[in-house]
Amino acid sequence: MRAAILPAAAVLAVTVCWPAAQAAEPDMGRLMAQAFPGWDDSAAGHVRTVTVPHFPGVTDVRGASWETGAQRVLATPELVLRTDATHLTLVAGLVPAGADGKPAAAHLVPRALAAYQFARGGGGWTLAASQGIFALRGFFGEASLRRVALSGQRQGVAVEYGSCWGGYCGTWLALYELQGPTVQGTPVVEMALSGTNVNAALDCARRLQPLVKAPPQDSGLHDSELHDSATAPGNHDCYAIDGSWQVDPARAQPGDLVVRYHGAISRAEAHAAPPAAIDQRQVLRYQGGRYRAVAGFNPVPPI
């Protein structure tokens, strides 16, 4: 089985226009050492013990890498989010650690995301609250995080992640809002961003041309249940759809989330006809603490 994973999350500091004396970004290592006593930026120093809360379907599965309770992890910094001139939130990424101190992350193991709140005083930053793990997202212990301005007064953490199964590939978005310094545990939106099954059946690359580029030779077709040349094309759709998104500028209430999808699809019932181009715009509006679709639709088929 081959997997296509998004790049590991990069450390990102948020720039906010606080007074110059307070604008200097804190040292990430010092923040991590307060959130995870004994942490330092070394292979051994990344291994810490945390308390994992119950996540249905993840921590209650026999043999799962994430288990409720105390667990050894590899901890790395992800984001620093300024909430005002004297407060910030650190988001750390965690992955289960094996006995050898290396990541113990198989395909279905998500990355844990944990938040810690700091206050500025006495010339430095001090841990004010340990929110701990608020989400488990991703595959192989990997996910990509970035800060998102939901409006001029509100911000969030966007988590993107992806993988492949038997030639079917997809990427997903989960967006978490900050309320004050706290990252909310329920995402304001979670959705598929892209999907393709070009590598899942021998006829899909041909059916989607010329709108979709042919897959590389090492396509993973051997993993697919659909690769048999005797499989009738009328039994399956073929598709390759990519999505990109942005939050429209707004002053107070979170702005509209706009997603644009491009690609192509060849329906089973029209497999001999040219593929249909996908050029779709979806608008989601913040209502009652969640983003809800108000125009367009998501054309990415479920995997």
Side-chain angles (χ1 to χ4, degrees), residues 42-62:
S42 66
H46 285 194
V47 180
R48 301 291 98 194
T49 298
V50 300
T51 299
V52 181
H54 174 67
F55 284 88
V58 180
T59 58
D60 56 2
V61 176
R62 180 183 291 272

Side-chain angles (χ1 to χ4, degrees), residues 16 27 72 84 86 102 117 120 124 127 131 136 159 163 167 171 187-188 198 221 225 239 241 256 274 288 291-292 300:
V16 182
D27 181 271
R72 277 168 38 101
D84 60 40
T86 58
K102 295 180 179 180
Q117 288 74 34
R120 186 183 179 94
L127 183 66
Q131 181 180 342
L136 293 174
V159 185
S163 193
T171 61
V188 292
V198 173
L221 286 171
E225 295 178 358
Y239 58 91
I241 303 170
D256 287 352
Y291 273 104
R292 307 178 191 279
V300 179

Side-chain angles (χ1 to χ4, degrees), residues 3-303:
I5 302 295
L6 295 174
V11 174
L12 176 65
V14 176
T15 301
V16 182
C17 295
W18 306 124
Q22 298 178 337
E25 290 300 332
D27 181 271
M28 298 284 280
R30 292 183 180 180
L31 297 182
M32 288 292 290
Q34 291 189 59
F36 303 90
W39 188 96
D40 63 59
D41 197 10
S42 66
H46 285 194
V47 180
R48 301 291 98 194
T49 298
V50 300
T51 299
V52 181
H54 174 67
F55 284 88
V58 180
T59 58
D60 56 2
V61 176
R62 180 183 291 272
S65 292
W66 286 112
E67 298 179 358
T68 303
Q71 187 161 358
R72 277 168 38 101
V73 300
L74 292 169
T76 55
E78 298 279 1
L79 302 174
V80 169
L81 304 163
R82 293 269 191 158
T83 54
D84 60 40
T86 58
H87 295 85
L88 61 79
T89 296
L90 167 72
V91 178
L94 315 175
V95 62
D100 58 359
K102 295 180 179 180
H107 194 166
L108 296 180
V109 177
R111 189 171 188 80
L113 308 176
Y116 302 85
Q117 288 74 34
F118 291 79
R120 186 183 179 94
W125 294 94
T126 303
L127 183 66
S130 296
Q131 181 180 342
I133 296 174
F134 64 87
L136 293 174
R137 293 283 173 174
F139 303 95
F140 286 104
E142 295 186 5
S144 179
L145 276 67
R146 65 183 174 96
R147 181 258 183 186
V148 178
L150 299 178
S151 71
Q153 301 175 15
R154 298 163 79 166
Q155 59 186 320
V157 177
V159 185
E160 293 187 32
Y161 49 97
S163 193
C164 295
W165 298 264
Y168 289 82
C169 298
T171 61
W172 291 265
L173 165 69
L175 181 57
Y176 296 86
E177 183 182 7
L178 267 73
Q179 292 187 1
T182 303
V183 184
Q184 298 303 294
T186 300
V188 292
V189 70
E190 48 187 330
M191 61 192 304
L193 285 178
S194 71
T196 179
N197 69 342
V198 173
N199 290 340
L202 287 174
D203 66 323
C204 280
R206 172 186 56 77
R207 284 168 55 182
L208 293 175
Q209 289 182 349
L211 298 181
V212 174
K213 185 188 239 184
Q217 296 217 337
D218 183 13
S219 63
L221 286 171
H222 54 280
D223 287 335
S224 174
E225 295 178 358
L226 297 177
H227 77 282
D228 191 335
S229 60
T231 302
N235 289 343
H236 56 272
D237 295 340
C238 295
Y239 58 91
I241 303 170
D242 288 315
S244 60
W245 62 276
Q246 68 177 39
V247 176
D248 285 347
R251 178 170 295 181
Q253 183 85 347
D256 287 352
L257 173 62
V258 180
V259 191
R260 296 183 181 276
Y261 299 96
H262 298 280
I265 188 165
S266 169
R267 296 293 186 185
E269 61 272 18
H271 60 84
I278 298 292
D279 186 6
Q280 173 71 35
R281 179 176 180 268
Q282 184 183 30
V283 178
L284 298 95
R285 187 154 296 153
Y286 189 90
Q287 299 173 341
R290 294 269 299 178
Y291 273 104
R292 307 178 191 279
V294 294
F297 65 95
N298 186 334
V300 179
I303 295 179

